[in-house]
Amino acid sequence: MTLLALTGGVGGAKLALGFAKVLPPEDVVFVVNTGDDFEHLGLHISPDVDTITYTLAEVANPIAGWGRKDETWRFMDALERFGGETWFRLGDADLALHLHRRTLLNAGKSLTAATNEIAGRLGVEHTILPMSDDPVRTRVLTSDGSLAFQHYFVRDRCAPKAVGFEFAGAETASVNPAIPFESVTAIVICPSNPFVSVDPILAVDGMRDALLATGAPIVAVSPIVGGRAIKGPTAKMMRELGVRTTTVAVAEHYAGLVSHFVIDEVDARAEAAVAALGMGTTALQTVMTTLDDRVQLARSVLEFIR
Ligand code: FO1
């Protein structure tokens, strides 16, 4: 089997690690959101690519979910003394990754090649593919105007009211040509934020059609459990957009693309409403606290697909 797993930030990376534990590298490819990428301090920061890279390399900060564990912050402290920009925290070891990626990109390598090189050096055997090598930049439309994603997310801590999203460049970006659509037997949309982690992937010109043309089941795992987001601002965004903060509303968001939808056991009563959308559904234990939870959910999702 070739599983294509679409993933964004921290929540998605948890299930991705589960898949990496139960599937050999030739059986799964991770397609990652790059709408969060930005140029900062002369560097190319690719937060979601780095989150999955660090997660699969098992060097991720387990509390924050992003960045590295056992990180030190001398660079940030020194930058602060110069009055530099410190709202986006780059740890010392993380900085080395960004500098190395800058070097690779300056040498003419694609983001895919740079990602592959960096992941390999960190011992990751599974394939991590940015959704596109072309720039796509998420902008959050707020009641105070349009904000670049990291300004909204990190600098302003998601405080402005979100009224919509734009994925600048998506309509002219090409789908990553390394994605093996022809051999895909199943697609999983990991429990990432539908609006700012998954939608940018789906917005890349031709991505939706390419996914549907595989004829493979497309299985989404709900990031909303019991009316709440496990992590991050998904529920807040849904409220601000006037969408119900329910797992059924997430299923409705994916209607027309997704054939199967995994809900959490606590939402088992929603099975009928999801089925009414024409989706196959199952209720699983989707909250991933431990490594065992990630492996177990990956196994259960694979079982559901089979
Ligand atoms: N998230 C934060 O909330 N604060 C930070 O200072 C921060 C720094 C950071 C540095 C490198 C990196 O790869 C990710 C970082 N993130 C930070 C996380 C990231 O910006 C978001 O979690 C994602 O973009 C959302 O998926």
Side-chain angles (χ1 to χ4, degrees), residues 12-23 30 55-56 126 288 291-299 302:
K14 287 184 180 182
L15 181 56
L17 179 61
F19 286 130
K21 290 282 181 195
V22 300
L23 292 172
F30 300 103
T55 300
L56 297 191
H126 291 77
M288 295 171 279
L291 177 59
D292 268 1
D293 296 337
R294 295 162 205 206
V295 169
Q296 189 47 52
L297 181 59
R299 286 213 173 99
L302 291 172

Side-chain angles (χ1 to χ4, degrees), residues 9 36 45 47-48 50 66 87-90 94 98 149-150 153-154:
D36 296 10
I45 315 286
D48 289 358
D50 294 344
W66 53 268
W87 59 270
F88 194 79
R89 312 286 300 160
L90 295 175
D94 191 31
H98 303 301
F149 182 75
Q150 296 299 341
F153 194 90
V154 175

